[in-house]
Amino acid sequence: MLGCGMIGVTLGDPAGVGPELVAWALAQASDEVRRQVRVFGDPAVLARGARAVGVTVDVPCAGVTCATAPGRPDLAGGQAQVAWLEDAIAAAAAGQL
């Protein structure tokens, strides 16, 4: 079954470089591509990643919150990462991606 044309992206490990990479890639993407992207993760973590690489991003981002500090992996960050991935899988299974 084909999805709806939306692209789902998870932030990965909130303590790792995922949030920065996602923010940077989205900032480089065309408006057309950004309109097709849905980010699964904590909006605050995405914003933190964007600030770290000096960009701004304006795409839908939703997921459980996570207070894990950059460079300090912990259980809460791992749990958030799994929750974001499960949300993305559920969205894809529902034909939203």
Side-chain angles (χ1 to χ4, degrees):
M1 169 193 255
L2 294 177
C4 68
M6 292 293 292
I7 301 165
V9 177
T10 67
L11 292 180
D13 183 353
V17 298
E20 290 87 348
L21 289 172
V22 170
W24 183 85
L26 289 172
Q28 306 308 308
S30 68
D31 289 341
E32 179 182 352
V33 168
R34 280 194 303 274
R35 283 191 296 271
Q36 296 174 314
V37 173
R38 179 175 167 194
V39 178
F40 294 85
D42 181 347
V45 173
L46 178 59
R48 182 186 76 209
R51 282 191 307 276
V53 294
V55 299
T56 59
V57 292
D58 184 21
V59 296
C61 180
V64 299
T65 60
C66 181
T68 297
R72 306 288 303 223
D74 62 13
L75 180 60
Q79 291 170 331
Q81 184 177 345
V82 169
W84 301 336
L85 182 58
E86 289 175 340
D87 288 348
I89 292 168
Q96 299 169 357
L97 302 175

